[in-house]
Amino acid sequence: MSALRFPDLPPSEPQGADLLAQERSKTTFSVHDLSNYLYGEEYLERQEKFLGLIENEPAFDKSNRYFLGRTERFAGALKKDYALVKLAQQQKWTPEEFQQADILIDEPGPFGLHRGMFMPTLVSQGTDEQHELFLKPALRYEVIGCYAQTEIGHVSNVQGIETTATYIPETNEFELHTPYLTACKWWIGGLGKAANHAVVMARLISNGKDYGPHALCVPIRSMEDHTLLPGVMAGDIGPKFGYNTTDNGCMWFDHYRVPHISLLAKYSSIKPGSGEYIKPPNSKLSYGTMVLIRASLVGYARIGLAKAATIATRYSAIRRQFVDKDQPKKMGKEVIETPVLDYSMQQYRLFPIIAAAYACHFTSKEMMRLYYLNIKNMASGNFSLLADVHASSSGLKSLTTTMAAASIEECRRACGGHGFSSFSGLPLMLQDYAPNVTWEGDNYMITQQTGRYLFKSFRDLVAKRASGKFSASQITNPTLAYLNTYLDNPDLKCPATTPAQFHNPEIQLAAYGHRAAHMVAEIVHGLDVEKRSWNSMLVEIYNASVAHCQLILVQNFILGIRGDMPQPEGIVATPLSPAAKEALTDLSDLFALHQIHKQPGEFLTSGYIDAKQVSMMGKAIMDVMEKKIRPNAVGFVDAFAFPDYYLNSALGRFDGKVYEAYTEMATREPINQTEVIEGYEQYIKPFTNPKGLKGKSIQARL
Amino acid sequence: MSALRFPDLPPSEPQGADLLAQERSKTTFSVHDLSNYLYGEEYLERQEKFLGLIENEPAFDKSNRYFLGRTERFAGALKKDYALVKLAQQQKWTPEEFQQADILIDEPGPFGLHRGMFMPTLVSQGTDEQHELFLKPALRYEVIGCYAQTEIGHVSNVQGIETTATYIPETNEFELHTPYLTACKWWIGGLGKAANHAVVMARLISNGKDYGPHALCVPIRSMEDHTLLPGVMAGDIGPKFGYNTTDNGCMWFDHYRVPHISLLAKYSSIKPGSGEYIKPPNSKLSYGTMVLIRASLVGYARIGLAKAATIATRYSAIRRQFVDKDQPKKMGKEVIETPVLDYSMQQYRLFPIIAAAYACHFTSKEMMRLYYLNIKNMASGNFSLLADVHASSSGLKSLTTTMAAASIEECRRACGGHGFSSFSGLPLMLQDYAPNVTWEGDNYMITQQTGRYLFKSFRDLVAKRASGKFSASQITNPTLAYLNTYLDNPDLKCPATTPAQFHNPEIQLAAYGHRAAHMVAEIVHGLDVEKRSWNSMLVEIYNASVAHCQLILVQNFILGIRGDMPQPEGIVATPLSPAAKEALTDLSDLFALHQIHKQPGEFLTSGYIDAKQVSMMGKAIMDVMEKKIRPNAVGFVDAFAFPDYYLNSALGRFDGKVYEAYTEMATREPINQTEVIEGYEQYIKPFTNPKGLKGKSIQARL
């Protein structure tokens, strides 16, 4: 029997292409200008060039991505990673260029952690000799590495790891050992099948003393034939919610000896022979990398938000449901069913996500600027920025990845039933995005780091103010500024008396600042005066971190549009056209006000906002969504400049031909390759035609 | 090369089994008693019996479930559905017994909609002759059917469907036709490969007049060999986020003729020859089935909540992280890392989910009782219950399925990294549960039905009160009761002045009632006085439905524990032991207070609760969680009585041997069946050993 062929019918009128064209004709700004402002022209030109190299190359083909089982997908990812490295070598890509191509292909693979964690760890913690030995062959992919930190019984808590690395003075070696099942390395990306080396975090033991977790770089598979080396057992940890194209692996050591050079020794080391431990000079230095990773996750959150919003917004302009009797929609003279994007609920669900994508864009840019500034400062011994940047990056990692994961799911549901189809692109996106809320610091856990910094800043500020020697000019960062404003007047009330006044950014910032400071003050009171335990206040601490970071997002959005945001050294900002500036200001208003309106509790209990103002804010939001953002919605997502190859979505296509693409994809479903399913004879026929009747008679009975 | 063998090491102390034993020793009530109260002894005994029949039968084996690709999973589901029907026939199961076994196996299959929608539609809309023709063979699975309503361009909007069924008087037939791509039937469970018949919703056209959507029962595949009948094209719609063991299908008709008997004619029909349309007597009758389905989804939400909570709670008692310095945890004399269940944030995440599972249990029971009462009433012409039950069931379907989907994901994340592993059981649970938020009425859309009823009730009540002829004794249902209390005093304030007073159920109910009524009053003011459009108020309408339904959940929880809940006729309630009653009261308090504390906005703007009280409530919650619920947490989830076979989770095992089970499952990963991955020669070796070096030399370079 042959494969099914679905009929070649057109959709009923109006066509998706015409609806999107109508949307695009209403956009009040140049999409091209806004894209340039976001990415810069060079980036966009390179995207075009890379698409040309990638899109039609079989190793990077996405057309079967949604159909394959895990085994086939992993095999494909290995092939893809190989081809990508070959292409990068041939094209002489910089790491930034590599990353841009990698984003377009959009599939985590077995070599990802080699680049993302293994090599960066060698760079930051290895000596020159170790760079020669490990990093150079790693750059050529001769050494392929993974970063083996987490253990099955100790996923988020590095201090709790049980794997040991015991120094053996007699042979000047370390002996790696897995004493318990709970010490088995687990979740290690690239370890399952691909890596031949691992950076292993193990408790360093010398002369009977335990110095806690340290990193060693060790071979795990034979360079000759890729078999496991004696003393090492490793494999894949099995299927996961997402990320199934990566071989997250597990590893046990059985008294596995490695040479002294394995211990990454830039900061701390063991003296050969004596086994004496040499302490790291400054533990703060390692915070820098953590800030970089967390800041870059804010950028990835931006991509997740923007990608999901692109698909859901374009499809919501095409998908029609019911006729809105108060405001019937017309196409020419005909009344058509109302596009779901015209319904206020759909706007309330989607537009804040578009706004959040832009908010994260500006904050991610600012975090990267601060990261590089801090690195430069630290190199000259100035650690003044570190605490604030570290605290913000932790809280922002938590907040923005939580927002992005929730928003991808919201966009999936906002596509109605079709968001459940893999062909929408949203299920796999959600699944592959999901680990972001857990890795690099669990999103609940790491907000304690933000909290600690906020409480310390508050206590210091209160003490300084009480000392009588304080002047506002001493304030060195935005955190202290909003805490100080609050302390000046904890009973401040919002002066707005009309919905329109909430468009004033000063009022928005005051509301967020007052709320965050009030929460910090309450927690410090709970800890210091009521003597409540830290554990009993974890919920409040989490909420305070969210409040602090929402303020940062609002702030950077406002500055980002104004053009007031400081630029990285040597970078001249592309100017934003007045029309785009006006449109982005609407989004910024929505971003600031929607969060207050949706969850007004803390703004109300902080005393700054009252119930009447929340209700006014609701009207301000509905108004800006319907009149200002609605006409620009498709323009805003078009400006993200995601090519169809990247989106890989029937619903999110630029040309609006959603149903044509959707049904075409279904014809490629493997079980559609025969008309009658394979199990028919065994599992259906015994019920439906047990006697094996033939001919017309049997059909005629019905 | 042979399959990998992982080392056989024990976890470090303390063992999961010991930790769970310690938890269970602290439970203040008999788990067995509470299970009996929830399910009745008969149900639990039957569960044991069914487990014996199912657990070791290869067709129902779950050990490969997480490894297979879609094609293999569908093949397995077809085999499973066949075996289950055979077993049911052999055991002579009632539909209820079938359902109980089906829940244990927990895998949607190709025959699911045959039972769930096809046969029920025949029952409710078919004539006796049609029952003879279609239903009887359907009960034997000779006819295997599906329910073909949604179309690719019209998923939630039945009125928008485009498939036509035109009456042809000359031959006394109907001609089914798919005029456009948008009219293609889509998402139809069981249609892709399994069904040989379909109930098709199509616009009924006779004598040129369009009578809107009607149901026809038609053959689609040959009874002889299962090939598609001429004029019908059908296939599978491809991979989805979940439900991949069901063949959701698509279907086109090309001027497909079916006999007159195909039109399901219990309520409306076409006169043969003349083509005259005979109208249905009462359109309200069809609401009954919708109420049943939505009420049953509340029950399934309960299962989802309870199952996810069981896994996450048990594992959180075993998983340990850090030492809480304020309150170090001891096991014997040893200080151990603190089980994550001791952290207040983990409690705040998980305990409300346990509470929600119990809340949904009592409300689902009450909704089923009301459904049967309403059916009985309607049969005698009494429609007084219908509007309230229909409105509540719509809003509750929306609220509880939204809660359950969010809670499964929250439980997944609360297991830390391991919740991302398929072996936790949570990813597949989440994926298969996800359609509940969309099907049987999109969760945003259907709250408009709840809203309409609430606003009408409010307007009627206001008019009655204004008429001067009103007395409170006229109030016939709980909705009117809380609206009336509000109208008596819209400025009522909560009298609580201490955290303890929030444990008073009257205060809890007053808070929820006042908030819901206030929201209804505001919306009616917006619509009737401010003349805002319905569309502009959809967000408020959704929120009002949520508020109304949260009140119902709180109410039924309180009544369910008191034993004050009305019982279905002929059912004598199992009594609840005093110890279990006390423990459940703690959960009920948490359920009521947590929602206020977490999202206090509407309670504050309603004026009933003030900021100080929200803060007191926070203390009341933390207190009840730490002192009352924490010791009973494992007991509460044990009482759900889910066997390990059902949970299919390494983390949620009753015996606590999580890491042993987890690593054992990983050994069965297909790519672990060889030590060196298949793609090595092609995609890894060219980098790592391009010259094909052999022997020790190559390793020695490192």
Side-chain angles (χ1 to χ4, degrees):
Chain A
M1 271 167 295
S2 59
L4 291 174
R5 289 201 52 185
F6 293 163
D8 191 20
L9 285 175
S12 56
E13 292 294 325
Q15 300 299 312
D18 297 334
L19 285 161
L20 284 187
Q22 198 188 48
E23 293 291 339
R24 286 172 180 137
S25 73
K26 288 186 297 182
T27 307
T28 63
F29 56 87
S30 151
V31 167
H32 183 75
D33 284 359
L34 183 52
S35 295
N36 273 350
Y37 183 69
L38 294 175
Y39 301 101
E41 256 176 281
E42 196 187 323
Y43 185 96
L44 292 167
E45 279 164 15
R46 209 159 52 206
Q47 177 165 293
E48 280 309 304
K49 189 184 138 201
F50 287 178
L51 260 186
L53 289 170
I54 288 167
E55 202 169 3
N56 298 312
E57 170 61 42
F60 310 130
D61 176 46
K62 297 186 180 181
S63 61
N64 275 319
R65 188 170 282 188
Y66 301 134
F67 298 111
L68 304 177
R70 204 239 157 168
T71 310
E72 297 76 37
R73 287 199 69 209
F74 179 71
L78 186 57
K79 177 178 171 181
K80 178 267 293 177
D81 266 12
Y82 168 80
L84 185 60
V85 171
K86 289 303 252 185
L87 184 62
Q89 289 173 343
Q90 177 207 319
Q91 299 279 325
K92 301 190 173 41
W93 281 340
T94 65
E96 289 69 32
E97 287 172 325
F98 190 103
Q99 195 195 15
Q100 190 174 355
D102 199 32
I103 287 174
L104 281 176
I105 296 171
D106 193 29
E107 181 175 78
F111 299 167
L113 277 290
H114 171 69
R115 287 184 294 270
M117 288 295 291
F118 179 75
M119 290 201 288
T121 308
L122 293 179
V123 168
S124 69
Q125 297 188 40
T127 60
D128 288 346
E129 190 187 358
Q130 289 168 327
H131 288 174
E132 197 64 33
L133 195 61
F134 302 120
L135 186 58
K136 278 200 175 166
L139 286 164
R140 298 189 300 267
Y141 288 77
E142 187 178 319
V143 159
I144 298 174
C146 61
Y147 180 81
Q149 177 173 304
T150 60
E151 297 178 354
I152 194 169
H154 315 275
V155 174
S156 309
N157 180 11
V158 189
Q159 294 307 318
I161 62 168
E162 297 178 289
T163 300
T164 53
T166 307
Y167 182 63
I168 312 290
E170 292 73 16
T171 57
N172 195 28
E173 287 176 312
F174 293 98
E175 185 174 281
L176 284 168
H177 188 61
T178 304
Y180 298 106
L181 177 54
T182 36
C184 162
K185 294 292 173 188
W186 203 266
W187 283 116
I188 316 305
L191 165 61
K193 292 288 146 184
N196 52 30
H197 278 66
V199 165
V200 177
M201 289 296 276
R203 314 195 75 79
L204 180 63
I205 294 170
S206 184
N207 297 324
K209 197 167 167 210
D210 181 341
Y211 294 98
H214 282 73
L216 298 91
C217 182
V218 307
I220 56 170
R221 287 190 172 91
S222 156
M223 298 301 291
E224 184 189 329
D225 60 9
H226 212 60
T227 53
L228 289 163
L229 294 176
V232 178
M233 172 47 68
D236 186 274
I237 64 163
K240 297 148 292 188
F241 183 46
Y243 246 70
N244 281 309
T245 43
T246 293
D247 52 334
N248 293 87
C250 49
M251 180 160 57
W252 288 257
F253 298 107
D254 182 7
H255 301 92
Y256 178 58
R257 295 282 182 100
V258 294
H260 180 268
I261 188 73
S262 304
L263 180 69
L264 296 183
K266 183 157 173 192
Y267 297 116
S268 54
S269 55
I270 289 284
K271 273 201 182 154
S274 74
E276 188 192 333
Y277 179 67
I278 299 155
K279 270 199 281 194
N282 188 336
S283 64
K284 281 184 182 171
L285 286 166
S286 64
Y287 280 32
T289 319
M290 210 191 294
V291 169
L292 176 64
I293 292 173
R294 291 182 181 170
S296 73
L297 290 181
V298 178
Y300 282 110
R302 198 281 301 181
I303 297 180
L305 287 158
K307 188 179 177 190
T310 301
I311 295 170
T313 303
R314 284 184 185 156
Y315 182 52
S316 294
I318 292 169
R319 176 178 162 223
R320 285 154 288 134
Q321 255 187 350
F322 310 106
V323 171
D324 181 2
K325 277 171 195 152
D326 298 326
Q327 277 186 303
K329 174 93 175 178
K330 285 188 179 181
M331 189 90 183
K333 284 178 187 171
E334 288 282 301
V335 169
I336 61 168
E337 283 189 300
T338 300
V340 293
L341 203 55
D342 285 352
Y343 291 111
S344 70
M345 179 53 98
Q346 192 78 352
Q347 296 176 5
Y348 195 77
R349 294 168 75 186
L350 291 184
F351 293 172
I353 296 175
I354 301 177
Y358 280 92
C360 287
H361 174 83
F362 293 115
T363 286
S364 133
K365 265 180 100 164
E366 173 64 2
M367 291 308 294
M368 294 310 282
R369 186 189 71 85
L370 288 172
Y371 166 74
Y372 287 111
L373 185 58
N374 176 52
I375 289 292
K376 203 182 137 196
N377 288 354
M378 289 204 302
S380 58
N382 169 3
F383 290 82
S384 65
L385 264 180
L386 180 62
D388 196 74
V389 172
H390 173 247
S392 300
S393 69
S394 301
L396 282 167
K397 183 270 170 184
S398 168
L399 174 62
T400 60
T401 59
T402 299
M403 277 165 58
S407 299
I408 295 169
E409 172 65 6
E410 188 65 34
C411 287
R412 194 187 68 68
R413 295 189 194 178
C415 291
H418 297 327
F420 193 66
S421 166
S422 299
F423 303 148
S424 71
L426 291 158
L428 185 60
M429 190 191 315
L430 180 70
Q431 292 169 266
D432 280 350
Y433 189 78
N436 281 278
V437 303
T438 310
W439 66 27
E440 299 305 333
D442 171 90
N443 277 4
Y444 285 98
M445 190 97 68
I446 54 171
T447 59
Q448 296 181 53
Q449 299 171 12
T450 316
R452 268 190 209 99
Y453 166 74
L454 292 174
F455 312 145
K456 182 176 182 306
S457 300
F458 186 81
R459 289 188 191 107
D460 290 353
L461 185 62
V462 169
K464 265 195 200 155
R465 287 171 60 106
S467 73
K469 287 179 221 148
F470 172 80
S471 90
S473 64
Q474 288 171 270
I475 287 177
T476 51
N477 68 43
T479 306
L480 291 173
Y482 80 77
L483 293 175
N484 193 53
T485 304
Y486 173 80
L487 287 168
D488 282 345
N489 185 2
D491 299 320
L492 199 67
K493 306 279 171 215
C494 172
T497 53
T498 65
Q501 286 167 343
F502 287 104
H503 295 286
N504 179 349
E506 298 311 319
I507 285 187
Q508 295 164 9
L509 289 170
Y512 277 88
H514 195 87
R515 167 236 206 176
H518 176 79
M519 293 167 75
V520 170
E522 294 275 299
I523 296 169
V524 171
H525 182 83
L527 290 169
D528 298 355
V529 181
E530 298 177 26
K531 301 290 176 197
R532 290 175 60 191
S533 69
W534 182 263
N535 181 10
S536 75
M537 301 202 73
L538 291 174
V539 176
E540 282 97 329
I541 295 165
Y542 174 79
N543 290 339
S545 170
V546 170
H548 172 72
C549 294
Q550 284 184 338
L551 169 60
I552 295 176
L553 288 171
V554 169
Q555 209 158 30
N556 288 330
F557 203 156
I558 291 168
L559 295 178
I561 300 171
R562 274 191 196 155
D564 285 358
M565 197 178 254
Q567 294 293 323
E569 272 181 79
I571 301 282
V572 182
T574 322
L576 185 61
S577 73
K581 192 168 188 163
E582 196 188 321
L584 274 190
T585 304
D586 298 328
L587 270 189
S588 168
D589 285 345
L590 178 67
F591 182 73
L593 300 181
H594 169 262
Q595 291 178 138
I596 307 180
H597 182 254
K598 194 167 185 191
Q599 298 216 17
E602 293 157 359
F603 294 92
L604 290 163
T605 54
S606 81
Y608 187 77
I609 301 273
D610 65 26
K612 226 168 150 182
Q613 289 169 327
V614 171
S615 160
M616 280 193 292
M617 226 173 278
K619 291 191 179 111
I621 294 169
M622 291 302 164
D623 213 53
V624 78
M625 289 202 307
E626 186 195 340
K627 303 202 179 113
K628 303 295 200 84
I629 298 173
R630 173 67 188 87
N632 283 328
V634 170
F636 281 132
V637 300
D638 281 352
F640 294 136
F642 293 137
D644 283 340
Y645 168 76
Y646 174 66
L647 296 175
N648 199 22
S649 164
L651 306 183
R653 292 166 66 89
F654 186 84
D655 69 6
K657 297 193 172 177
V658 298
Y659 300 120
E660 295 90 326
Y662 196 7
T663 45
E664 190 280 323
M665 283 167 112
T667 60
R668 288 185 270 128
E669 159 62 44
I671 65 172
N672 283 339
Q673 301 318 307
T674 57
E675 186 179 330
V676 176
I677 187 81
E678 212 183 317
Y680 164 70
E681 291 286 336
Q682 237 180 316
Y683 305 123
I684 296 178
K685 198 175 168 191
F687 292 130
T688 59
N689 189 7
K691 294 176 187 159
L693 298 176
K694 293 208 173 178
K696 276 218 153 183
S697 61
I698 182 169
Q699 202 69 53
R701 290 187 302 148
L702 299 159
Chain B
M1 271 166 291
S2 58
L4 292 174
R5 289 201 52 185
F6 293 164
D8 190 19
L9 286 176
S12 56
E13 292 295 327
Q15 300 299 311
D18 297 334
L19 285 162
L20 284 188
Q22 198 188 49
E23 294 291 339
R24 286 172 180 137
S25 72
K26 288 185 296 181
T27 307
T28 63
F29 57 87
S30 151
V31 167
H32 184 75
D33 285 0
L34 183 52
S35 294
N36 273 350
Y37 182 70
L38 294 176
Y39 301 102
E41 258 176 278
E42 195 187 321
Y43 184 95
L44 292 167
E45 279 162 15
R46 209 158 55 204
Q47 177 165 294
E48 280 309 304
K49 191 185 135 198
F50 287 179
L51 259 186
L53 290 169
I54 288 168
E55 201 169 3
N56 298 312
E57 169 62 42
F60 310 130
D61 176 47
K62 297 185 181 182
S63 62
N64 276 319
R65 191 170 280 187
Y66 301 135
F67 298 110
L68 305 176
R70 204 241 156 164
T71 310
E72 297 75 37
R73 288 198 69 210
F74 180 70
L78 185 58
K79 177 177 171 182
K80 179 267 294 178
D81 266 11
Y82 169 80
L84 185 59
V85 171
K86 289 303 254 185
L87 184 62
Q89 288 173 344
Q90 175 206 320
Q91 299 279 325
K92 300 191 175 34
W93 281 341
T94 64
E96 288 71 31
E97 288 172 326
F98 191 103
Q99 196 195 16
Q100 192 174 355
D102 200 31
I103 287 174
L104 281 175
I105 296 171
D106 193 30
E107 181 176 78
F111 299 168
L113 276 292
H114 171 70
R115 288 184 294 272
M117 288 295 289
F118 178 75
M119 290 201 288
T121 307
L122 293 179
V123 168
S124 68
Q125 297 189 41
T127 61
D128 289 348
E129 190 187 357
Q130 289 169 327
H131 288 175
E132 197 63 34
L133 195 62
F134 302 120
L135 186 59
K136 278 200 175 167
L139 285 164
R140 297 189 300 266
Y141 288 77
E142 188 179 319
V143 159
I144 298 174
C146 60
Y147 180 80
Q149 178 174 303
T150 58
E151 297 178 352
I152 197 170
H154 315 276
V155 174
S156 309
N157 179 12
V158 189
Q159 295 306 319
I161 63 168
E162 295 178 288
T163 301
T164 53
T166 307
Y167 182 63
I168 312 290
E170 293 74 17
T171 57
N172 196 29
E173 288 176 313
F174 293 100
E175 186 173 282
L176 284 168
H177 188 63
T178 303
Y180 297 106
L181 177 54
T182 36
C184 163
K185 294 291 173 189
W186 202 265
W187 283 115
I188 315 306
L191 165 61
K193 291 288 146 182
N196 52 31
H197 279 66
V199 164
V200 178
M201 289 296 276
R203 314 195 75 80
L204 180 63
I205 294 168
S206 185
N207 296 325
K209 199 170 163 202
D210 180 342
Y211 294 98
H214 281 73
L216 298 92
C217 182
V218 306
I220 56 169
R221 287 191 173 91
S222 156
M223 297 302 290
E224 184 189 327
D225 60 9
H226 212 59
T227 52
L228 290 163
L229 295 176
V232 178
M233 172 45 69
D236 186 273
I237 64 163
K240 297 150 291 188
F241 183 46
Y243 246 72
N244 282 309
T245 44
T246 292
D247 52 333
N248 293 86
C250 49
M251 181 160 57
W252 289 255
F253 298 108
D254 182 8
H255 301 92
Y256 178 57
R257 295 282 182 102
V258 292
H260 180 268
I261 187 71
S262 304
L263 180 69
L264 295 182
K266 185 159 171 190
Y267 298 118
S268 52
S269 56
I270 289 286
K271 274 202 183 154
S274 75
E276 189 194 330
Y277 179 65
I278 300 156
K279 269 201 279 194
N282 188 336
S283 65
K284 280 185 183 170
L285 286 165
S286 64
Y287 278 32
T289 318
M290 210 191 293
V291 169
L292 176 64
I293 291 173
R294 291 183 181 170
S296 72
L297 291 182
V298 178
Y300 282 110
R302 199 280 303 180
I303 298 179
L305 288 158
K307 187 179 177 189
T310 301
I311 295 170
T313 304
R314 285 184 185 156
Y315 181 52
S316 295
I318 291 169
R319 176 178 162 222
R320 284 154 289 134
Q321 254 186 353
F322 309 104
V323 172
D324 180 3
K325 278 170 195 150
D326 299 324
Q327 279 186 301
K329 173 92 174 176
K330 286 188 177 181
M331 190 88 182
K333 286 180 187 168
E334 289 281 300
V335 169
I336 61 169
E337 282 189 299
T338 300
V340 293
L341 203 54
D342 285 353
Y343 291 112
S344 70
M345 179 52 98
Q346 192 79 351
Q347 296 176 4
Y348 194 79
R349 295 168 75 186
L350 291 183
F351 294 170
I353 295 175
I354 302 177
Y358 281 92
C360 288
H361 175 83
F362 293 115
T363 286
S364 134
K365 266 180 98 163
E366 173 64 2
M367 290 309 293
M368 294 309 282
R369 186 189 71 86
L370 288 171
Y371 165 73
Y372 286 111
L373 185 59
N374 176 52
I375 289 291
K376 205 183 133 194
N377 287 355
M378 288 204 303
S380 59
N382 170 2
F383 291 82
S384 66
L385 264 179
L386 181 61
D388 196 73
V389 172
H390 174 247
S392 301
S393 69
S394 302
L396 282 166
K397 183 271 170 183
S398 167
L399 174 62
T400 61
T401 59
T402 299
M403 276 164 59
S407 299
I408 295 169
E409 171 65 6
E410 188 65 34
C411 287
R412 193 186 70 66
R413 295 188 194 179
C415 290
H418 297 327
F420 194 65
S421 167
S422 299
F423 303 149
S424 71
L426 291 158
L428 186 59
M429 190 190 317
L430 180 71
Q431 291 169 267
D432 280 350
Y433 188 78
N436 280 277
V437 304
T438 310
W439 66 29
E440 299 305 333
D442 170 272
N443 277 3
Y444 284 98
M445 189 97 67
I446 54 172
T447 58
Q448 296 182 52
Q449 299 169 14
T450 316
R452 268 190 208 99
Y453 166 75
L454 291 173
F455 311 146
K456 182 176 183 309
S457 301
F458 186 82
R459 289 187 191 107
D460 290 354
L461 185 63
V462 168
K464 265 194 199 155
R465 287 172 59 106
S467 73
K469 287 180 222 150
F470 173 79
S471 91
S473 64
Q474 287 171 272
I475 287 177
T476 51
N477 68 42
T479 306
L480 292 172
Y482 80 76
L483 292 175
N484 193 52
T485 303
Y486 173 81
L487 287 169
D488 282 347
N489 185 1
D491 298 319
L492 199 66
K493 306 279 171 214
C494 172
T497 53
T498 66
Q501 286 167 342
F502 287 105
H503 295 286
N504 179 349
E506 298 312 319
I507 285 187
Q508 295 165 8
L509 290 171
Y512 278 89
H514 195 88
R515 168 238 205 171
H518 175 79
M519 293 166 76
V520 170
E522 293 275 299
I523 296 169
V524 170
H525 182 84
L527 290 170
D528 297 355
V529 180
E530 297 176 26
K531 302 289 176 198
R532 290 175 59 192
S533 69
W534 181 263
N535 181 11
S536 75
M537 301 202 75
L538 291 175
V539 176
E540 283 97 327
I541 294 165
Y542 174 79
N543 291 338
S545 170
V546 169
H548 172 72
C549 293
Q550 285 184 338
L551 169 59
I552 296 176
L553 288 170
V554 169
Q555 209 158 30
N556 288 328
F557 202 158
I558 291 168
L559 296 177
I561 300 172
R562 274 190 196 157
D564 286 359
M565 196 178 255
Q567 295 292 324
E569 272 181 80
I571 302 282
V572 183
T574 321
L576 185 60
S577 73
K581 193 169 188 164
E582 198 188 317
L584 274 190
T585 305
D586 298 328
L587 271 189
S588 167
D589 284 346
L590 177 65
F591 182 73
L593 300 180
H594 170 262
Q595 291 179 137
I596 306 180
H597 182 255
K598 195 168 183 189
Q599 298 215 14
E602 293 156 359
F603 293 91
L604 289 163
T605 53
S606 82
Y608 186 77
I609 301 272
D610 65 27
K612 228 170 151 179
Q613 289 170 327
V614 171
S615 161
M616 280 195 288
M617 226 174 278
K619 289 190 179 113
I621 293 170
M622 291 302 163
D623 213 52
V624 77
M625 290 202 306
E626 184 195 340
K627 302 201 178 113
K628 303 296 199 85
I629 297 174
R630 173 66 189 85
N632 282 327
V634 170
F636 281 133
V637 300
D638 282 352
F640 293 136
F642 293 136
D644 283 341
Y645 169 76
Y646 173 67
L647 295 175
N648 198 23
S649 164
L651 306 183
R653 292 167 65 89
F654 187 84
D655 69 6
K657 297 192 172 177
V658 299
Y659 300 120
E660 297 89 325
Y662 196 7
T663 44
E664 190 279 321
M665 284 167 110
T667 60
R668 287 185 271 126
E669 159 61 43
I671 66 173
N672 282 338
Q673 302 318 305
T674 57
E675 187 180 328
V676 176
I677 189 80
E678 212 182 316
Y680 165 70
E681 291 286 335
Q682 235 180 320
Y683 305 123
I684 296 178
K685 198 175 168 192
F687 292 129
T688 59
N689 189 7
K691 294 175 186 159
L693 297 176
K694 292 205 176 182
K696 279 215 152 187
S697 61
I698 180 170
Q699 203 69 50
R701 291 186 304 148
L702 301 162

